[in-house]
Amino acid sequence: MEDRTERLKNVARLWNEAALSGAARVEAIRQAYPDRTPRTIQRWLREARDEGLLPPSKPGSTWLRTPSAMAVAAALGVSYEHLVIALREHADGYLKIGATEERLARKALAPISVPEDLSSTFGAVVRATRVERGFSQKELASRLSVALGREIAPLTITRTEAGTRPVPLEEVAALAAVLKLSVDELIQTQPGRGESECASS
């Protein structure tokens, strides 16, 4: 007799096979379980989604962590979080991965960042140095993108300077290199405070 786990796996298999062949997915499950009501089949589908055996029913969902997605990440030799970010950046809308999913992935990959109590000061130093170097926010974003090897939007610079986003340490190091400062100079207690002033205080 088929237990619950086996049944949900079979429902997910039937659904995926029908989807790949272009057949009616619910109908495929009904044919396999002719003695079950449509309501029962819909309940099984909900349970399969809850178990992560099927993707969510609504396009554009912020949830993608299915065994298939995890298997793809493993096959590529990357973390699930890296896979989500890559899909968001390169899928051009063909794959429905929500912004929340991307945000959670980026947060998981960047647990260490500039402390919140220093974010506003850090942002002020970035802004002052950027202006001093004659960079626009767009230009700084472009240079930072090259340094990091991934796209950085001008809005990211705006939020960094405003102190409204945590800044991962890899970005701190890249910003320091782009702005031709040491990391210590970039993370200082007061914007515009130079080393000589530190020494004299």
Side-chain angles (χ1 to χ4, degrees):
M1 184 176 177
E2 190 179 48
D3 66 14
R4 178 178 179 276
T5 301
E6 290 175 349
R7 183 177 63 244
L8 292 182
K9 286 181 178 179
N10 193 41
V11 165
R13 180 184 60 78
L14 291 166
W15 177 277
N16 288 325
E17 287 177 356
L20 288 172
S21 66
R25 290 165 287 189
V26 174
E27 186 59 32
I29 298 170
R30 284 178 182 166
Q31 288 176 8
Y33 296 92
D35 58 331
R36 301 294 181 164
T37 65
R39 187 172 183 177
T40 298
I41 291 173
Q42 289 298 329
R43 177 170 56 81
W44 288 351
L45 288 171
R46 284 196 305 272
E47 290 175 357
R49 292 184 182 106
D50 290 342
E51 294 291 328
L53 298 171
L54 285 174
S57 58
K58 294 181 180 179
S61 170
T62 60
W63 188 89
L64 185 77
R65 195 180 287 268
T66 64
S68 296
M70 303 296 281
V72 169
L76 293 173
V78 299
S79 70
Y80 166 76
E81 289 77 14
H82 278 108
L83 174 64
V84 167
I85 292 169
L87 290 175
R88 278 283 291 172
E89 291 180 347
H90 303 295
D92 294 328
Y94 288 103
L95 293 170
K96 300 292 187 179
I97 300 167
T100 300
E101 182 80 348
E102 180 194 13
R103 186 164 57 250
L104 291 173
R106 290 195 185 281
K107 184 176 181 181
L109 289 173
I112 303 174
S113 60
V114 175
E116 287 185 13
D117 57 345
L118 291 180
S119 289
S120 59
T121 301
F122 173 80
V125 173
V126 170
R127 183 182 186 283
T129 309
R130 173 181 64 77
V131 171
E132 183 181 315
R133 300 287 188 266
F135 299 156
S136 64
Q137 289 184 337
K138 183 177 180 180
E139 185 177 358
L140 180 56
S142 177
R143 289 170 179 259
L144 189 58
S145 298
V146 172
L148 288 170
R150 59 182 170 83
E151 190 65 27
I152 298 293
L155 179 60
T156 300
I157 303 300
T158 302
R159 293 178 58 207
T160 298
E161 293 181 353
T164 58
R165 66 178 287 265
V167 183
L169 291 185
E170 63 167 350
E171 282 187 33
V172 174
L175 275 167
V178 169
L179 294 172
K180 300 190 186 322
L181 293 175
S182 69
V183 172
D184 287 342
E185 287 173 321
L186 198 53
I187 304 177
Q188 51 184 304
T189 56
Q190 295 178 17
R193 185 178 178 188
E195 290 182 2
S196 60
E197 290 175 299
C198 292
S200 61
S201 59

